[in-house]
Amino acid sequence: MKLQPKFASVVIPLILGPLLLAGWLMHYHYAAYLQDATRQKLKLLAEPARQYLAISQEDARQLARHLDATLRDTPPTALNDTLQQWHRQNANVVQVELTSAQGERLGLSSHLPSPLPMTKTPDGNRATIEPSPKGAPLLRSVFSNNNASSAPVITLTLPLLTLQDFFDSSRRHSQVLLYLQDANARWLNAVPPGLADRLQQKADATHITLDGTDFLILQETLAPHLTLVGLVPATGVQRHLEQLESSLAALAVVATLLALLILQRALQRWIARPLTEVQRMTTAITHGELNQTLELKNQDEFSELAQSFNTMREHLQRTTRQIEELAYFDTLTGLPNKVNSIEAMQLMISQSKITGTQLAILLLDLDNFKHINDGLGHQLGDHLLMQVGGRLKECIRSHDILQRHPQPGATDDSQLLARLGGDEFTLVLSNLHSPDQAAKVATRILGKLALPFHLQDHEVCIGASIGISIFPKDGQTPEQLLKNADMAMYVAKGKGKNNFQFFDAGMEKPMTERLALESAMRSGLENREFLLHYQPKVPVQGQQRIEFEALMRWQHPEKGMISPGVFIPVAEETGYIKQLGDWALESACQQIERWNQMGVRNLAVSVNLSPVQLNYSNPLLTIDRCLQRMDIRPEQLELEITESGLMQDESNAIELLHQFKERGVRIALDDFGTGYSSLAYLRRFPIDTLKIDRSFIRDLEQDEESVLMLESIIRLAQNLKLGLVAEGIETEQQLNILRTLGCETVQGFYFAKPSAADTAMAFFQQASNDGRAIAS
């Protein structure tokens, strides 16, 4: 349905409704006015009737006085004769009656066929109207002489001929039928046959029909207990009302037609035409034509709507540009995103096919980013990604970056740097003649990302693992090349991270095995496949002590014992080391509690703390829970940390280590001598024990430099009053050299391999039972 018919269907009722209501109100008020005029007409007719009635009453009183004067000197025996004579002289009186004060009839003279009954209780001068069989009502007037108590009471009955003539005249000239009715609902003048019954049945009616003519039934009080009933013809009232209704109907039709004409013109000018322009504008916007403008000259709401449409169009232009940016560029780094890079890669591959050159895809994944993001918060993680994006841009020439443009891949550049999502970036290098060119760029990137990053108050080191695939050798499509580069990247992570690897077809099997290992590791903790083995730390000098290092093992139900060197790096990379580390702490503390309950003295157990736990988790909560719930002393627990773990976020590490020390937990620096080994670090970190790395012990028997370096480390620990443990002891000669140099504690396969708790404790119990020094 079009707009104009819709408006007409709404407006016509709005026009006709008030017109019909006004017509009805006018009809109602006009009908009331006509009825009121009719009532006024009856009132005018009632006034002469009152006057005629009053005159008749006055005539009756005059006749009664005349009769009273005539009878005043008449003896009682001649009273009736005198009455008859007076009645013959006054023929207009139809009946005269004389009664005593006691109600006894003294005389009667009547011209009526049936005399009226005697007056029951005359009470002075009063008059009543009685029906007459001849038509004219009868006025019955009672007169008593108050001045003479013995005078008889005179009752005169006169026909109201003048009143009846007035009624007849009204019927002839104005067609108004007038009738008298007393308080007892008696009709006092002649009523047509059947009319009295109908009027009695319609006591509350306002209309009656006689011989096809409608009459209004009106009433007017003439005197107490006397009502004038008028039947006024309604034909005049009805005619006037019909004329009024015809005029109102014509007015409604004319007004409706005129309103429709005006409405049509107004709609065409003020609504239909602007809406047509709005529809045209909407169609243009729907088809993506956002350069058109909507201009309306009328200064009204449609003009404001046009301004709003133009504002919306401008907003849509901006939003469309932003959507294109979001669709093809990463909002965080400003680099092309995965969708953009895939399309651009396809174009670059097509170009390489034409030129016959190679193309390299470098897929880069940040090392330890997940731990930083979880430990320091997503906001700092985002800042780190932005800094990484900036450094990657610095690593390649300025024209290596795909410039921002609305159409993806529309570039002649031979290099593309993009962020695929998360902490993964990709660099596409085209026009290559040798894979060595890609290796040089990868080396440059690794060197740039190895430098520390500053995130507010934190200094973090991450590094990156890079996988490289070459077109056309490693794939023909962007998806295949990215998949192979991803495999190479995971191989790089498996080889210690912070390196790059070229894709090789043999990588698919290790990749599949790694994914299976990740899946099995997550269910292994729930299935209690992980366990702790304990390796004794043997005192060489000083007080005899019982110390162990807790080492994690994985007893796989199908593959058997899996080496920590296999699953620990994967657990650190995936972040699952947090759950494994918490489990190891709780399990070691439970074992300490069991040994304490067995009465073991001078007991301590060291637990390795992963760099991921130290920097991106909160092991303090687990330690507090264990110290509160278990029967162990804080000094019985020692945490072993690595130099590399301390260096990832130095400020956070210092704060956390001091919190350990506040609780009485001891701290050992593991693999000392293989990392930074700065004396400044030993001063800043609250270290209790140094653990000499096994690489210094391995060549101790053949390499004098190793002996000299080991001697320096021992002297350093003694001067700093730090405990000292040498690990990796496998021969008696190594033990003797360490004893000679003054090393106080040793650990290695020469004494015992890591074993279950009972077996490990048996090592110390056996030495105690033999009564010998353990390291003898």
Side-chain angles (χ1 to χ4, degrees):
M1 189 181 226
K2 293 292 186 179
L3 187 60
Q4 293 187 14
K6 285 185 178 180
F7 264 95
S9 64
V10 173
V11 173
I12 289 178
L14 293 178
I15 296 174
L16 287 179
L19 283 175
L20 293 176
L21 179 61
W24 179 83
L25 291 174
M26 188 178 296
H27 180 278
Y28 174 79
H29 288 293
Y30 189 60
Y33 167 75
L34 291 177
Q35 289 183 358
D36 187 63
T38 305
R39 290 190 184 92
Q40 291 299 326
K41 183 177 181 180
L42 183 62
K43 288 180 181 293
L44 292 176
L45 292 175
E47 190 59 32
R50 289 191 188 93
Q51 294 177 3
Y52 292 143
L53 185 59
I55 292 172
S56 298
Q57 289 176 345
E58 183 61 28
D59 290 344
R61 280 192 291 271
Q62 293 295 333
L63 289 172
R65 291 190 189 98
H66 179 265
L67 178 59
D68 181 65
T70 303
L71 298 175
R72 187 171 301 163
D73 298 328
T74 302
T77 54
L79 189 62
N80 191 50
D81 294 336
T82 304
L83 178 63
Q84 295 292 335
Q85 183 180 0
W86 184 89
H87 191 196
R88 286 191 295 271
Q89 293 174 355
N90 296 275
N92 59 325
V93 178
V94 296
Q95 180 175 306
V96 59
E97 179 183 11
L98 298 178
T99 57
S100 66
Q102 291 74 28
E104 181 183 358
R105 178 179 284 177
L106 301 178
L108 173 65
S109 177
S110 177
H111 295 161
L112 296 174
S114 177
L116 296 175
M118 184 178 64
T119 304
K120 298 295 183 182
T121 54
D123 54 355
N125 296 317
R126 63 186 181 88
T128 61
I129 307 295
E130 298 292 338
S132 170
K134 293 184 178 182
L138 301 177
L139 174 64
R140 194 175 190 188
S141 181
V142 181
F143 175 78
S144 61
N145 190 346
N146 295 328
N147 296 325
S149 59
S150 60
V153 176
I154 302 171
T155 301
L156 298 179
T157 301
L158 288 78
L160 298 175
L161 298 176
T162 306
L163 183 61
Q164 185 61 42
D165 291 341
F166 174 70
F167 287 171
D168 295 339
S169 175
S170 174
R171 176 183 299 168
R172 289 190 302 269
H173 294 93
S174 59
Q175 288 80 44
V176 177
L177 307 181
L178 299 177
Y179 302 100
L180 290 177
Q181 190 177 39
D182 63 7
N184 296 322
R186 294 185 304 165
W187 296 105
L188 304 178
N189 58 338
V191 180
L195 178 59
D197 294 336
R198 294 181 62 188
L199 290 175
Q200 192 68 30
Q201 295 172 1
K202 296 179 175 290
D204 298 328
T206 59
H207 290 76
I208 192 170
T209 302
L210 299 176
D211 299 331
T213 303
D214 289 335
F215 289 86
L216 297 176
I217 303 176
L218 304 175
Q219 296 182 356
E220 183 68 25
T221 302
L222 292 182
H225 311 294
L226 185 62
T227 302
L228 177 64
V229 177
L231 302 183
V232 182
T235 53
V237 175
Q238 189 66 30
R239 184 173 61 255
H240 288 298
L241 290 178
E242 290 175 355
Q243 291 176 354
L244 176 62
E245 291 174 356
S246 300
S247 301
L248 291 176
L251 177 62
V253 171
V254 173
T256 302
L257 293 176
L258 183 60
L260 287 176
L261 179 61
I262 296 174
L263 176 65
Q264 193 274 337
R265 293 298 181 89
L267 285 175
Q268 181 66 29
R269 179 176 179 180
W270 294 329
I271 298 179
R273 191 176 303 161
L275 285 180
T276 301
E277 291 297 313
V278 171
Q279 181 182 13
R280 179 189 60 81
M281 184 69 173
T282 304
T283 303
I285 292 176
T286 303
H287 291 86
E289 301 174 7
L290 302 178
N291 296 323
Q292 300 185 28
T293 58
L294 181 61
E295 296 182 2
L296 297 177
K297 297 180 180 179
N298 298 334
Q299 298 299 319
D300 53 16
E301 288 80 357
F302 277 105
S303 178
E304 297 176 358
L305 177 62
Q307 294 177 2
S308 300
F309 250 88
N310 291 330
T311 302
M312 179 188 70
R313 178 189 57 79
E314 294 172 358
H315 177 71
L316 283 175
Q317 282 183 318
R318 292 192 299 269
T319 303
T320 301
R321 287 194 293 266
Q322 293 173 359
I323 291 174
E324 290 175 349
E325 290 282 328
L326 292 175
Y328 296 111
F329 288 90
D330 175 48
T331 57
L332 189 63
T333 62
L335 295 173
N337 61 13
K338 186 174 183 178
V339 175
N340 195 342
S341 63
I342 293 292
E343 296 183 7
M345 285 180 201
Q346 188 61 58
L347 293 176
M348 297 170 74
I349 290 173
S350 300
Q351 186 64 29
S352 296
K353 290 179 180 179
I354 296 174
T355 59
T357 56
Q358 299 181 32
L359 178 143
I361 292 183
L362 285 69
L363 184 61
L364 179 150
D365 186 88
L366 302 181
D367 296 333
N368 300 323
F369 173 77
K370 183 178 186 301
H371 311 314
I372 295 175
N373 202 41
D374 294 341
L376 302 182
H378 294 282
Q379 184 176 5
L380 292 183
D382 290 344
H383 285 300
L384 177 59
L385 290 174
M386 289 188 285
Q387 292 186 35
V388 169
R391 291 194 186 183
L392 291 176
K393 293 176 184 179
E394 296 172 2
C395 289
I396 56 179
R397 300 183 301 275
S398 60
H399 66 274
D400 292 338
I401 306 298
L402 182 64
Q403 300 298 320
R404 288 181 176 271
H405 47 75
Q407 296 300 326
T411 177
D412 294 331
D413 298 332
S414 57
Q415 287 80 26
L416 166 66
L417 175 62
R419 181 189 175 202
L420 299 184
D423 60 339
E424 285 190 343
F425 295 81
T426 185
L427 175 62
V428 184
L429 304 174
S430 62
N431 296 329
L432 300 183
H433 299 283
S434 169
D436 293 340
Q437 294 175 273
K440 292 180 180 179
V441 176
T443 302
R444 195 190 326 167
I445 291 175
L446 292 176
K448 200 74 173 179
L449 297 183
L451 300 176
F453 289 85
H454 297 279
L455 304 174
Q456 293 183 359
D457 298 332
H458 302 273
E459 183 180 280
V460 298
C461 298
I462 53 170
S465 299
I466 302 175
I468 305 175
S469 60
I470 303 296
F471 170 84
K473 178 177 70 71
D474 300 328
Q476 298 291 319
T477 65
E479 292 77 12
Q480 188 176 7
L481 291 170
L482 283 173
K483 175 186 175 182
N484 293 337
D486 188 62
M487 288 187 190
M489 180 267 294
Y490 274 105
V491 172
K493 283 186 177 293
K495 292 187 176 181
K497 303 180 181 180
N498 201 36
N499 68 91
F500 66 88
Q501 297 291 324
F502 282 93
F503 172 75
D504 183 85
M507 292 179 175
E508 294 188 13
K509 182 178 180 181
M511 185 65 185
T512 304
E513 293 176 350
R514 174 192 168 87
L515 293 176
L517 183 67
E518 289 183 17
S519 177
M521 186 178 0
R522 297 188 182 279
S523 60
L525 190 58
E526 297 179 2
N527 298 333
R528 298 186 177 183
E529 298 172 9
F530 290 93
L531 47 88
L532 289 182
H533 280 185
Y534 297 87
Q535 186 175 31
K537 292 193 286 186
V538 181
V540 177
Q541 300 177 7
Q543 184 181 5
Q544 296 295 309
R545 300 177 307 280
I546 299 177
E547 297 184 12
F548 300 96
E549 180 181 1
L551 299 169
M552 194 180 303
R553 295 292 183 265
W554 183 6
Q555 182 67 46
H556 193 276
E558 297 177 357
K559 299 180 180 180
M561 192 69 72
I562 299 178
S563 170
V566 174
F567 70 84
I568 291 295
V570 176
E572 289 183 333
E573 184 180 330
T574 59
Y576 199 64
I577 192 65
K578 299 174 186 178
Q579 288 90 328
L580 289 177
D582 289 342
W583 169 83
L585 279 171
E586 291 184 0
S587 298
C589 291
Q590 290 171 354
Q591 186 60 51
I592 295 173
E593 183 181 37
R594 283 193 288 270
W595 281 331
N596 283 341
Q597 294 171 351
M598 293 169 56
V600 178
R601 304 297 179 187
N602 249 351
L603 172 68
V605 175
S606 61
V607 181
N608 288 281
L609 202 62
S610 165
V612 175
Q613 291 177 272
L614 182 65
N615 292 281
Y616 312 114
S617 182
N618 193 356
L620 194 63
L621 295 177
T622 305
I623 293 172
D624 285 341
R625 185 168 60 251
C626 292
L627 294 177
Q628 291 170 4
R629 298 180 180 179
M630 301 179 192
D631 183 19
I632 63 174
R633 298 185 305 277
E635 64 270 15
Q636 290 183 295
L637 177 63
E638 184 177 62
L639 302 177
E640 293 190 11
I641 58 177
T642 62
E643 294 180 66
S644 60
L646 294 175
M647 293 304 301
Q648 289 186 14
D649 189 347
E650 183 178 332
S651 60
N652 178 69
I654 292 176
E655 180 181 356
L656 189 60
L657 293 185
H658 279 291
Q659 290 176 333
F660 292 154
K661 291 294 294 180
E662 290 173 1
R663 286 156 175 77
V665 176
R666 297 176 59 81
I667 300 171
L669 184 59
D670 197 11
D671 300 334
F672 182 75
T674 60
Y676 299 93
S677 302
S678 170
L679 294 179
Y681 294 149
L682 294 179
R683 189 180 73 250
R684 286 201 300 271
F685 293 115
I687 304 298
D688 296 298
T689 303
L690 297 181
K691 291 197 69 175
I692 303 174
D693 186 69
R694 66 181 64 250
S695 62
F696 293 99
I697 308 301
R698 186 184 307 113
D699 301 327
L700 194 60
E701 299 163 298
Q702 295 86 17
D703 188 359
E704 294 183 4
E705 291 184 359
S706 296
V707 175
L708 294 174
M709 186 173 294
L710 187 59
E711 183 179 9
S712 300
I713 295 175
I714 294 174
R715 296 290 176 267
L716 174 65
Q718 292 173 346
N719 292 333
L720 295 177
K721 295 182 174 55
L722 299 176
L724 190 64
V725 178
E727 55 182 351
I729 308 303
E730 297 182 358
T731 66
E732 182 178 1
Q733 186 177 357
Q734 292 173 345
L735 173 62
N736 293 332
I737 294 174
L738 289 169
R739 181 188 288 116
T740 302
L741 294 176
C743 181
E744 59 187 37
T745 305
V746 293
Q747 174 184 350
F749 286 1
Y750 176 74
F751 301 100
K753 294 182 179 180
S755 59
D758 294 341
T759 304
M761 180 58 70
F763 170 81
F764 287 103
Q765 292 174 342
Q766 183 66 36
S768 176
N769 293 335
D770 294 343
R772 59 177 175 82
I774 300 175
S776 60

